[in-house]
Amino acid sequence: MVAEPERDQVAATVDKAEEPLDNKKLQKLQKQYERKGIIYVSRIPPHMKPQKLRHLLEQYGSIGRLYCAPEDPALRRQRKQKGGNTGKNFTEGWVEFDDKAVAKQVAAMLNGNQMGGKRRSAYHYDLWSLKYLPKFKWDHLTEEIAYQNAVREQKLAAEISAAKRERDFYMGQVDKAKGIEAMKERKRKREDVSKGAAGQQDATQPPAAGAGEKLSMQKAAAEPIDRHRKVLRTYGQKKAKADSAAENAATTLSSDFLALVGGKQ
């Protein structure tokens, strides 16, 4: 059971949190937001963690937010397979200073210089690679990160879709090959059955006839076909007419010839 003073304290905290912001507080927050500056770290040494980067830069000014981009997971897996360091590395980073004037001075002062620190440190001889980003705010960075994440998700979805299409095509080809093999097997079985039946029929038939008998059988088989050949089309023809001039010449004979035949001369 909560005591009465504690209950009153919780209620006061809730009321304070829900208290709306007035114009003065909004203007103050806006000025603080506009006063902040961003430094871009183009190269982070291997094995350096964000906490170490914050520790090295905090001695030059007050730091707010800090973001380090991790390396490509494929490169990390490749390094592990080759027996390299299994730790997580970062490639680049952004550091937000509470005062943009300090951020600009720090970038100009440290860029190209050694990181320093203890000589036993692994980053003692590494060089700073810093650049102040004018008119760049943390909101721009979050928008860029969100955009990159969306692009990465779209690429991943496209790769998954392509992999699914390849899998479906491969499975379709496998099923098609199985169907073809089954058809060939059925055809082979039918041929074996037909060969077996033909062998049994040859065994039950009488011996084959000689060459003369085969020729006579072929002629006998061809004759009915020739006799009963079907007439597909007939053509009408006119009868020949006798020559009237030749007939007249044959019937009219001279008187001399008739007398000779009659024996009067």
Side-chain angles (χ1 to χ4, degrees):
M1 185 175 180
V2 182
E4 291 297 332
E6 295 180 0
R7 185 178 300 172
D8 297 340
Q9 185 177 0
V10 172
T13 305
V14 173
D15 295 340
K16 185 177 181 181
E18 294 179 355
E19 184 179 354
L21 297 175
D22 53 4
N23 293 333
K24 292 184 178 180
K25 291 183 178 180
L26 289 175
Q27 292 177 1
K28 183 179 179 180
L29 293 175
Q30 184 66 23
K31 288 181 180 180
Q32 292 178 358
Y33 177 78
E34 294 293 339
R35 192 182 304 118
K36 294 181 179 181
I38 306 293
I39 288 181
Y40 172 64
V41 184
S42 61
R43 178 185 176 275
I44 298 178
H47 319 312
M48 176 179 280
K49 300 298 184 287
Q51 295 82 0
K52 181 65 176 179
L53 181 62
R54 178 182 290 274
H55 174 72
L56 292 176
L57 294 177
E58 272 182 343
Q59 55 185 337
Y60 302 104
S62 177
I63 294 177
R65 290 168 287 190
L66 183 145
Y67 173 75
C68 296
E71 65 177 344
D72 190 1
L75 297 177
R76 185 181 181 186
R77 288 194 300 269
Q78 187 177 3
R79 187 176 68 252
K80 287 183 178 180
Q81 292 175 358
K82 293 182 179 180
N85 187 275
T86 59
K88 186 176 183 181
N89 293 336
F90 298 89
T91 57
E92 55 185 358
W94 290 262
V95 183
E96 183 185 43
F97 281 81
D98 293 339
D99 192 348
K100 57 185 178 182
V102 175
K104 190 173 183 179
Q105 293 176 1
V106 170
M109 179 179 59
L110 297 181
N111 186 36
N113 296 327
Q114 290 185 0
M115 291 186 177
K118 297 181 180 179
R119 291 185 178 274
R120 293 177 297 177
S121 175
Y123 322 111
H124 178 76
Y125 295 101
D126 284 307
L127 301 180
W128 286 108
S129 181
L130 307 177
K131 181 181 180 180
Y132 173 71
L133 303 178
K135 299 181 180 180
F136 187 84
K137 299 301 178 182
W138 198 261
D139 294 341
H140 302 157
L141 176 61
T142 55
E143 291 176 0
E144 180 66 20
I145 294 173
Y147 173 75
Q148 292 179 359
N149 292 336
V151 171
R152 190 181 301 109
E153 290 179 358
Q154 290 181 358
K155 289 183 178 179
L156 182 61
E159 292 176 358
I160 293 174
S161 178
K164 287 182 178 179
R165 287 196 300 269
E166 292 179 0
R167 181 201 62 188
D168 295 340
F169 176 76
Y170 174 76
M171 295 303 296
Q173 293 297 320
V174 170
D175 295 340
K176 186 177 180 181
K178 288 182 179 179
I180 293 174
E181 290 295 332
M183 292 172 60
K184 290 181 178 179
E185 184 66 23
R186 290 194 298 269
K187 184 177 180 181
R188 193 181 303 111
K189 289 182 180 180
R190 287 196 299 268
E191 290 178 354
D192 294 342
V193 172
S194 61
K195 287 180 179 179
Q200 293 179 1
Q201 185 177 1
D202 293 341
T204 56
Q205 285 180 355
E213 295 180 359
K214 287 184 178 180
L215 183 59
S216 61
M217 292 173 64
Q218 290 178 359
K219 289 182 178 179
E223 287 178 359
I225 298 175
D226 296 336
R227 289 197 303 269
H228 299 87
R229 182 173 297 173
K230 184 177 180 180
V231 178
L232 299 179
R233 186 174 181 182
T234 58
Y235 297 89
Q237 297 182 358
K238 296 181 179 180
K239 294 181 180 181
K241 293 182 179 180
D243 190 1
S244 60
E247 290 179 356
N248 295 330
T251 53
T252 57
L253 299 175
S254 62
S255 58
D256 296 338
F257 179 77
L258 293 176
L260 180 63
V261 172
K264 292 182 178 181
Q265 291 181 359

